[in-house]
Amino acid sequence: MSEELEIFKKKLLYRASYRGTKEMDILLTKFVKKYLNVFSHEQLKQLEKFLEFEDEIIYNFYNFDKVKKDIDKNKISEIFKNFKI
């Protein structure tokens, strides 16, 4: 595996782990750790875009099916929606 890809994966994990709210830190860290080495390069790019959404938007999408800012159009969102801790 290339060093560049490994650095990218570490950045994704960091972004998932330090969100601002403890609940999202836990949820997203577990999600990213589970799929980080399974996702294709394209899926990792989608994950990066997914992690750019605000905590509140991700939280409401995950828990209440509230869709804002096209979070449902991200390919990773469906995998995340079905993820259970």
Side-chain angles (χ1 to χ4, degrees), residues 9-55:
K9 287 180 177 183
K10 287 178 182 180
K11 286 180 181 180
L12 291 174
L13 183 57
Y14 181 85
R15 180 66 181 114
S17 301
Y18 298 96
R19 301 288 304 178
T21 61
K22 195 65 174 169
E23 296 84 359
M24 292 308 295
D25 290 353
I26 293 167
L27 180 61
L28 287 171
T29 299
K30 289 183 185 253
F31 175 73
V32 170
K33 281 184 176 180
K34 180 175 181 176
Y35 291 105
L36 194 62
N37 293 313
V38 177
F39 283 162
S40 68
H41 191 274
E42 181 60 34
Q43 287 173 313
L44 291 173
K45 290 287 192 183
Q46 286 292 317
L47 177 60
E48 179 180 38
K49 290 178 184 175
F50 180 79
L51 293 174
E52 290 175 0
F53 288 108
E54 298 170 13
D55 284 357

